Amino acid sequence: MRRRVVAGNWKMHGSTATIERLLDALVQLTTPQVDVLLFPPIAYLSAVIERVKGSELAVGAQNIHAESSGAFTGEVAAEMVKDLGATHVLVGHSERRRWFGETDTIVAQKFSAALRVGLVPILCVGETSEQRDEGRAEQVVMTQLDAVVAAVGITALQRSMVAYEPVWVIGTGRSATPADAQSMHSAIRARIRTLDAKVADGLRVLYGGSITAANAAALFAGSDVDGGLVGGASLNAEQFENICRAA
Ligand code: PGA
């Protein structure tokens, strides 16, 4: 039985005051059957890690650079994120791929950097609406997955998670159906199974894209859906807690 996960991706939202209010509520959350992860903006990473100490929450970064140090102004190394006490990192979020030109090669390098320092990378994959309309959704997702497996090897995936996030659903209020989600999750697991059955059985595959307290239970019902990566709704304590309960 894979343990459920709910991850809140705060993206570039929040301030000291709003984050304090959100955490005042979230630190009280008790979810014995669910791993709850928070991904604040990097500016607040330290403060959030401090604030959640003693709670059941774990904290990660939304992005890292692949190099361990160097002349990369404005970037943050996996080593630094680990040093601050974070445990997880998002890799290859569609917004990184779209707005910051992250290719499958760069994503694989970042995934590898996370493993190098002992952070758990959550590899984000997903197709755009055009790719889906052209019938290429599965091919696109498998190419994104294969690039990482080729770089780090299949057994390394034991120390990671995957998040399937259809790009046409993120932040749109339009949600994929539970059947859409389960179908892609099952394809992802089947692909991994062709390489290593044990890794496939243990890999937690999260769904992401316009998850709300209202649709979470139905989306999480799929047998290959192990939880969710939540954007907008993770900024609202009550919504997020209800999503955790649905998991
Ligand atoms: P959303 O974002 O829940 O606001 O659609 C999800 C994500 O981008 O991780």
Coordinates of all heavy atoms in Angstrom, one line a residue, residues 133-167:
D133 N -5.1 17.5 -27.8 CA -6.0 17.5 -29.0 C -5.4 16.7 -30.2 O -6.1 16.1 -31.0 CB -6.3 18.9 -29.4 CG -7.2 19.6 -28.3 OD1 -7.7 18.9 -27.4 OD2 -7.2 20.8 -28.3
E134 N -4.1 16.7 -30.3 CA -3.5 16.0 -31.4 C -3.3 14.5 -31.1 O -2.7 13.8 -31.8 CB -2.1 16.6 -31.7 CG -2.1 18.0 -32.3 CD -0.8 18.7 -32.2 OE1 0.3 18.0 -31.8 OE2 -0.7 19.9 -32.4
G135 N -3.8 14.1 -29.9 CA -3.7 12.7 -29.5 C -2.3 12.2 -29.1 O -2.0 11.1 -29.1
R136 N -1.5 13.2 -28.6 CA -0.1 12.9 -28.3 C 0.2 13.0 -26.8 O 1.3 13.0 -26.3 CB 0.9 13.9 -29.0 CG 0.8 13.8 -30.5 CD 2.0 14.4 -31.1 NE 2.0 15.9 -31.0 CZ 3.0 16.6 -30.4 NH1 4.1 15.9 -29.9 NH2 2.9 17.9 -30.3
A137 N -0.9 13.1 -26.0 CA -0.7 13.3 -24.5 C 0.2 12.3 -23.9 O 1.2 12.6 -23.3 CB -2.0 13.3 -23.8
E138 N -0.1 11.0 -24.2 CA 0.7 9.9 -23.5 C 2.2 9.9 -24.0 O 3.1 9.8 -23.2 CB 0.0 8.6 -23.8 CG 0.2 7.6 -22.7 CD -0.5 6.3 -22.9 OE1 -1.8 6.4 -22.9 OE2 0.1 5.3 -23.1
Q139 N 2.3 10.2 -25.3 CA 3.7 10.2 -25.9 C 4.5 11.3 -25.3 O 5.7 11.1 -24.9 CB 3.5 10.4 -27.4 CG 4.8 10.4 -28.2 CD 4.6 11.1 -29.5 OE1 3.6 11.0 -30.1 NE2 5.6 11.9 -29.9
V140 N 3.9 12.5 -25.1 CA 4.6 13.6 -24.5 C 5.0 13.3 -23.0 O 6.2 13.5 -22.6 CB 3.7 14.9 -24.5 CG1 4.3 16.0 -23.6 CG2 3.5 15.4 -25.9
V141 N 4.1 12.7 -22.3 CA 4.4 12.4 -20.9 C 5.5 11.3 -20.8 O 6.4 11.4 -20.0 CB 3.1 12.0 -20.2 CG1 3.4 11.4 -18.8 CG2 2.2 13.2 -20.0
M142 N 5.4 10.3 -21.6 CA 6.4 9.3 -21.6 C 7.8 9.8 -22.0 O 8.8 9.4 -21.4 CB 6.0 8.1 -22.5 CG 4.7 7.4 -22.1 SD 4.7 7.0 -20.3 CE 2.9 7.3 -20.0
T143 N 7.8 10.7 -22.9 CA 9.1 11.3 -23.3 C 9.7 12.1 -22.1 O 10.9 12.0 -21.9 CB 8.9 12.3 -24.5 OG1 8.3 11.5 -25.6 CG2 10.3 12.8 -25.0
Q144 N 8.9 12.8 -21.4 CA 9.4 13.5 -20.2 C 9.9 12.6 -19.2 O 10.9 12.8 -18.5 CB 8.3 14.4 -19.7 CG 7.9 15.6 -20.6 CD 6.6 16.3 -20.2 OE1 5.8 15.8 -19.4 NE2 6.4 17.5 -20.7
L145 N 9.2 11.5 -19.0 CA 9.6 10.5 -18.0 C 10.8 9.8 -18.4 O 11.8 9.6 -17.6 CB 8.4 9.5 -17.9 CG 8.3 8.5 -16.7 CD1 8.2 9.3 -15.4 CD2 7.1 7.6 -16.9
D146 N 10.9 9.4 -19.7 CA 12.0 8.6 -20.2 C 13.3 9.4 -20.0 O 14.4 8.8 -19.8 CB 11.8 8.2 -21.6 CG 10.8 7.2 -21.8 OD1 10.3 6.6 -20.8 OD2 10.4 6.9 -23.0
A147 N 13.3 10.7 -20.3 CA 14.5 11.6 -20.2 C 15.1 11.5 -18.8 O 16.3 11.4 -18.7 CB 14.1 13.0 -20.5
V148 N 14.3 11.4 -17.8 CA 14.8 11.4 -16.4 C 15.3 10.0 -16.1 O 16.4 9.8 -15.6 CB 13.7 11.8 -15.4 CG1 14.1 11.5 -14.0 CG2 13.5 13.3 -15.6
V149 N 14.6 9.0 -16.5 CA 15.0 7.6 -16.3 C 16.3 7.3 -17.0 O 17.2 6.7 -16.4 CB 13.9 6.6 -16.7 CG1 14.4 5.1 -16.6 CG2 12.6 6.8 -15.9
A150 N 16.5 7.8 -18.2 CA 17.7 7.6 -18.9 C 18.9 8.3 -18.2 O 20.0 7.8 -18.2 CB 17.6 8.2 -20.3
A151 N 18.6 9.4 -17.5 CA 19.7 10.1 -16.9 C 20.1 9.5 -15.5 O 21.3 9.5 -15.2 CB 19.3 11.6 -16.7
V152 N 19.1 9.0 -14.8 CA 19.5 8.6 -13.4 C 19.3 7.1 -13.2 O 19.8 6.6 -12.1 CB 18.6 9.4 -12.4 CG1 18.8 10.9 -12.4 CG2 17.1 9.0 -12.5
G153 N 18.7 6.4 -14.1 CA 18.5 5.0 -13.9 C 17.2 4.7 -13.2 O 16.7 5.5 -12.4
I154 N 16.6 3.6 -13.5 CA 15.3 3.3 -13.0 C 15.2 3.1 -11.4 O 14.3 3.6 -10.8 CB 14.7 2.0 -13.7 CG1 13.2 1.8 -13.3 CG2 15.5 0.7 -13.4 CD1 12.3 2.9 -13.7
T155 N 16.3 2.6 -10.8 CA 16.2 2.3 -9.4 C 16.2 3.6 -8.6 O 15.6 3.7 -7.5 CB 17.3 1.4 -8.8 OG1 18.5 1.8 -9.3 CG2 17.0 0.0 -9.3
A156 N 16.8 4.7 -9.2 CA 16.8 6.0 -8.5 C 15.4 6.5 -8.3 O 15.2 7.4 -7.4 CB 17.7 7.0 -9.3
L157 N 14.5 6.1 -9.1 CA 13.1 6.6 -9.0 C 12.5 6.2 -7.7 O 11.5 6.7 -7.2 CB 12.2 6.1 -10.2 CG 12.1 7.2 -11.2 CD1 13.4 7.5 -12.0 CD2 11.0 6.9 -12.2
Q158 N 13.1 5.2 -7.0 CA 12.6 4.8 -5.7 C 12.6 5.9 -4.7 O 11.9 5.9 -3.7 CB 13.5 3.6 -5.1 CG 13.0 2.3 -5.6 CD 14.0 1.2 -5.3 OE1 15.2 1.4 -5.2 NE2 13.4 0.0 -5.0
R159 N 13.6 6.8 -4.9 CA 13.7 8.0 -4.0 C 13.1 9.2 -4.5 O 13.5 10.3 -4.2 CB 15.2 8.2 -3.8 CG 15.9 7.1 -3.0 CD 17.4 7.3 -2.9 NE 18.2 7.0 -4.1 CZ 19.1 7.8 -4.5 NH1 19.4 9.0 -3.9 NH2 19.8 7.5 -5.6
S160 N 12.0 9.1 -5.3 CA 11.4 10.2 -5.9 C 9.9 10.0 -6.0 O 9.4 9.0 -5.6 CB 11.9 10.4 -7.4 OG 11.3 9.4 -8.2
M161 N 9.2 11.0 -6.5 CA 7.8 10.9 -6.9 C 7.6 11.5 -8.2 O 8.4 12.3 -8.7 CB 6.9 11.7 -5.8 CG 7.1 11.2 -4.4 SD 6.0 12.2 -3.3 CE 6.9 12.1 -1.8
V162 N 6.4 11.2 -8.8 CA 6.1 11.8 -10.1 C 4.7 12.6 -9.9 O 3.9 12.1 -9.1 CB 5.9 10.7 -11.2 CG1 5.3 11.3 -12.5 CG2 7.3 10.1 -11.5
A163 N 4.6 13.7 -10.5 CA 3.3 14.4 -10.5 C 2.8 14.6 -11.9 O 3.5 15.2 -12.7 CB 3.4 15.8 -9.8
Y164 N 1.7 14.0 -12.2 CA 1.1 14.3 -13.6 C 0.2 15.5 -13.5 O -0.8 15.5 -12.7 CB 0.3 13.0 -14.0 CG -0.6 13.3 -15.2 CD1 0.0 13.8 -16.4 CD2 -2.0 13.2 -15.2 CE1 -0.7 14.1 -17.5 CE2 -2.7 13.5 -16.3 CZ -2.1 13.9 -17.5 OH -2.9 14.3 -18.6
E165 N 0.6 16.5 -14.3 CA -0.2 17.7 -14.2 C -0.5 18.2 -15.7 O 0.4 18.8 -16.3 CB 0.6 18.9 -13.6 CG 1.0 18.6 -12.1 CD 1.2 19.9 -11.4 OE1 2.2 20.6 -11.8 OE2 0.5 20.2 -10.4
P166 N -1.7 17.8 -16.2 CA -2.0 18.3 -17.5 C -2.0 19.8 -17.6 O -2.6 20.5 -16.7 CB -3.4 17.8 -17.7 CG -3.8 17.0 -16.5 CD -2.8 17.2 -15.5
V167 N -1.2 20.4 -18.5 CA -1.0 21.8 -18.5 C -2.3 22.6 -18.8 O -2.5 23.7 -18.2 CB 0.1 22.2 -19.6 CG1 0.3 23.7 -19.7 CG2 1.4 21.4 -19.3

